[in-house]
Amino acid sequence: MTTLAVQLVVLLLLSILIGMWATRFPYPAPWLRRFLSPKLRWPERQIRGWLQNGRFHPGFLGFFNRDPHRVPPPEAGLVAPADGLITSAEVRDGVRYLVIALTFWDMHVQRSPAAGRVVTVEPSGDQLMDGEGRDFSFLREKHCPVQTRIVIDTEEFGRLAVRLITSIAARRIEVWPEEGSMIERGQRLGRILLGSTVVLEMPEALPVCAVVGQRVCAGETLVTAGATP
């Protein structure tokens, strides 16, 4: 009798769990989320739905807003300004544009590639125009690009810039250092709230050690080897 009762309880619990899963299909049920990787826990389609209705899952927001401690490497060189995948390193007029694509599951706090002084913080796109046309591939791919460009003067590497780029769907960008302030290598620069692209502008002469297709971590991964030769 005891065995039968236990079996009935187990079957009842399984029925409840399957019912919870079925009512939320194709998205995971709450009880299942904790056992899944972030990509499976919060599928892209579901996140895009939250972007439209503004009703984000609290667990996803907590995960998205994480800000782990980062330690720059002891080797000389620029560090990546963002977590993500390097998708391009095109050169124009002596400037290399290292493009880092972020997913919904990447950490979204950006960091300074080097120590220096913040010269300007330049927002653009307030009226749904990027101000530069669509000749840059990283702007062509955006719908109504909105960006903030942080220009940094450094002793070792010359003038750098970090662009935080988002779109009309998620156009909130936070920048924390003020113009004229001194910043350290790996220091937090800001955050793109659900944005997806960060671009590091650097002199073409810098010896790049990161490659297209490589995943990088903000403030930790070297993208150049040393200063200008």
Side-chain angles (χ1 to χ4, degrees):
M1 190 69 178
T2 303
T3 302
L4 178 61
V6 170
Q7 290 175 336
L8 289 174
V9 170
V10 171
L11 286 173
L12 177 62
L13 290 175
L14 286 174
S15 299
I16 293 173
L17 293 176
I18 292 172
M20 292 172 64
W21 170 80
T23 56
R24 291 177 176 266
F25 184 83
Y27 306 125
W31 65 267
L32 186 59
R33 288 186 191 273
R34 69 183 66 184
F35 304 108
L36 301 176
S37 65
K39 273 193 173 184
L40 296 176
R41 194 180 311 164
W42 299 291
E44 181 175 353
R45 181 179 172 187
Q46 189 172 34
I47 296 172
R48 292 194 180 279
W50 294 337
L51 275 172
Q52 294 178 357
N53 61 37
R55 297 195 294 269
F56 289 93
H57 188 278
F60 172 74
L61 287 180
F63 170 80
F64 182 85
N65 290 323
R66 67 195 186 283
D67 182 9
H69 179 65
R70 295 284 172 86
V71 178
E75 298 86 358
L78 297 178
V79 293
D83 281 25
L85 183 73
I86 297 177
T87 59
S88 175
E90 64 179 301
V91 175
R92 291 191 179 199
D93 301 323
V95 177
R96 185 180 302 277
Y97 297 86
L98 192 73
V99 181
I100 302 173
L102 289 74
T103 69
F104 291 123
W105 307 278
D106 283 314
M107 195 273 298
H108 272 60
V109 173
Q110 286 75 54
R111 292 176 177 266
S112 177
R117 183 176 67 88
V118 177
V119 180
T120 58
V121 177
E122 307 166 349
S124 63
D126 291 338
Q127 298 181 9
L128 308 185
M129 297 179 65
D130 56 63
E132 296 175 286
R134 294 288 184 159
D135 52 342
F136 285 108
S137 61
F138 53 79
L139 292 179
R140 278 199 307 271
E141 295 164 359
K142 291 291 178 190
H143 174 60
C144 299
V146 178
Q147 61 178 314
T148 297
R149 183 170 179 264
I150 306 165
V151 180
I152 305 168
D153 270 348
T154 72
E155 291 185 4
E156 283 186 278
F157 309 98
R159 176 158 290 192
L160 309 172
V162 177
R163 295 178 186 241
L164 313 185
I165 306 174
T166 181
S167 66
I168 189 173
R171 52 186 304 182
R172 294 176 59 193
I173 297 175
E174 297 177 355
V175 175
W176 299 320
E178 298 180 351
E179 292 183 357
S181 61
M182 302 300 295
I183 54 176
E184 297 299 323
R185 181 178 185 236
Q187 180 176 327
R188 293 172 178 84
L189 285 179
R191 186 201 308 267
I192 310 175
L193 304 182
L194 294 171
S196 58
T197 307
V198 172
V199 179
L200 171 59
E201 301 177 18
M202 66 182 104
E204 179 185 4
L206 291 178
V208 177
C209 61
V211 297
V212 173
Q214 177 182 344
R215 289 200 62 84
V216 293
C217 293
E220 290 188 340
T221 306
L222 282 174
V223 295
T224 70
T228 306

